[in-house]
Amino acid sequence: MPQESSQPAQPAPPAQPGPRAPHRVAVIVDEGTNPFEVGVATELFGLPRPELGLAGPLYEVVLCTPAREVRMNHGFFTLTDGRGLDAVDSADTLVVPGRPDNVVPRGPAVLDAIRRTHARGARVMSFCTGTFALAEAGLLDGRRATTHWMWAETFRTLHPRVRLESDVLFVDEGGILTAAGSAAALDLGLYVVRRDHGAEIANAVSRRLVFAAHRDGGQRQFVERPVPDVPDESLAPLLAWARLRLGEPLTVAELAAGAAVSPATLHRRFRAQLGTTPLAWLTAERVALACRLIERGERRLDVVAARSGLGTAANLRARVRRETGLSPSAYRRRFGPAAGEAVTA
């Protein structure tokens, strides 16, 4: 009779997670939908991104239509053979672009598709005047939302129970997100990519778009950019200079000195060109750098705080939580090297 082994049984190695299924995005293309915003959705979520070196796509996009053939805004484009509205029932995120005839009610099938998606807990996003459709579906009563500033008063008249914020780029109400003008759809889309996949991937997507990686949703929609009759006053050189020195104790006075202007003039230029203040821009850049350092594997919060210019671990925790909704440790678990394949800048 064989003797029993005196060695304790070795635990089985943990199962290795298989490749994660891509996040499924459905885009409703209704009669009169603006083509630009459909293009934004497909550009952000639908393109393959081999430059990231990932095992599979980040998102999978389907275009859903209430009819076999849909004429888009002013008949410039016609979409044929889109998926039916039933396709929204398997989507993780639903995108509702805008259209110009916002006083004309959406069709019952479109509104029902929006309601069904929200009711089962999927994320719902609107671009530009797509906010009207979300309001018609009853999703926004008592909630904050935004839409294009030209349509703000019409929206308030039609939907007085919605808490409209007409001077911001986008609003995040948890499972419901709304963007202002068409370009603000890019801001909201990159914000969602950053929430889903971290700052490194969002930065890579923004570089391919040649678009700012991060503009806070609270920035103003309408940013005045008058044609200058004096030498170029672009902030781009100053911003590039400051990004190389985020770990240093930069102040607004030092930024103004770097631009050879007074602090008051610098504030006016930031407001006019970026729709924010120098200090708010500097803080946002430092938080973005801190997130990238965490994603790259730096575990020492004091080191991250010092290299990003946030000073202390306590300030780092507060700023990262405010920006991402996650503590640094939770952010690391979700987006750090152990969460997936490393991404190089």
Side-chain angles (χ1 to χ4, degrees):
M1 180 175 181
Q3 294 183 339
E4 294 184 359
S5 170
S6 60
Q7 297 296 323
Q10 296 297 313
Q16 295 299 314
R20 185 171 58 177
H23 185 108
R24 189 175 175 85
V25 177
V27 183
I28 288 185
V29 183
D30 197 3
E31 193 74 19
T33 291
N34 290 326
F36 179 84
E37 290 144 33
V38 177
V40 168
T42 54
E43 176 77 26
L44 282 166
F45 305 120
L47 294 187
R49 303 201 179 274
E51 68 273 16
L52 297 180
L54 302 178
L58 301 174
Y59 299 95
E60 176 184 294
V61 174
V62 294
L63 303 181
C64 306
T65 60
R68 184 176 179 84
E69 183 174 292
V70 171
R71 293 179 72 253
M72 301 173 75
N73 188 4
H74 290 95
F76 288 128
F77 300 94
T78 298
L79 180 63
T80 59
D81 295 323
R83 298 286 298 277
L85 291 176
D86 288 348
V88 307
D89 295 328
S90 58
D92 303 298
T93 293
L94 175 64
V95 176
V96 183
R99 66 182 198 188
D101 52 346
N102 295 296
V103 297
V104 178
R106 270 64 175 175
V110 169
L111 297 179
D112 182 60
I114 295 171
R115 294 187 190 104
R116 292 198 317 268
T117 304
H118 176 61
R120 62 181 175 79
R123 182 166 59 195
V124 178
M125 300 166 54
S126 67
F127 289 168
C128 195
T129 56
T131 313
F132 281 78
L134 270 55
E136 288 175 46
L139 271 60
L140 298 179
D141 287 353
R143 297 179 184 269
R144 296 182 306 122
T146 191
T147 193
H148 195 289
W149 60 270
M150 288 184 63
W151 287 92
E153 292 310 312
T154 301
F155 186 93
R156 288 190 176 101
T157 300
L158 293 174
H159 306 290
R161 297 177 64 183
V162 180
R163 296 159 52 197
L164 186 71
E165 298 185 4
S166 57
D167 197 30
V168 298
L169 294 177
F170 59 84
V171 171
D172 179 357
E173 279 284 273
I176 302 176
L177 302 94
T178 52
S182 296
L186 284 165
D187 292 296
L188 177 57
L190 286 168
Y191 169 83
V192 166
V193 172
R194 190 167 63 254
R195 284 294 179 96
D196 290 347
H197 300 287
E200 285 282 79
I201 287 180
N203 284 346
V205 173
S206 72
R207 283 195 298 270
R208 182 160 164 180
L209 287 165
V210 196
F211 192 78
H214 172 64
R215 291 199 297 168
D216 186 80
Q219 291 180 212
R220 292 186 301 154
Q221 282 190 41
F222 184 68
V223 179
E224 297 178 4
R225 292 186 177 90
V227 177
D229 53 9
V230 295
D232 184 19
E233 296 181 348
S234 168
L235 288 170
L238 177 66
L239 302 185
W241 176 86
R243 287 189 179 104
L244 296 176
R245 294 163 175 81
L246 293 175
E248 301 175 13
L250 283 177
T251 65
V252 173
E254 288 170 326
L255 288 176
V261 297
S262 69
T265 297
L266 186 71
H267 271 84
R268 286 195 296 272
R269 289 187 184 177
F270 264 78
R271 282 292 186 190
Q273 296 182 36
L274 301 179
T276 189
T277 66
L279 182 58
W281 177 87
L282 193 58
T283 300
E285 289 292 321
R286 284 171 164 159
V287 172
L289 175 56
C291 289
R292 293 198 297 272
L293 292 171
I294 293 171
E295 290 178 36
R296 292 170 182 174
E298 179 56 68
R299 304 184 65 85
R300 298 165 295 176
L301 294 189
D302 56 339
V303 173
V304 174
R307 290 180 60 187
S308 64
L310 291 173
T312 66
N315 189 43
L316 169 70
R317 290 188 186 94
R319 294 292 183 178
V320 170
R321 183 179 290 277
R322 180 180 180 274
E323 176 62 30
T324 68
L326 300 170
S327 67
S329 58
Y331 190 91
R332 182 187 301 110
R333 287 194 297 271
R334 182 168 179 181
F335 299 120
E341 299 180 32
V343 179
T344 57

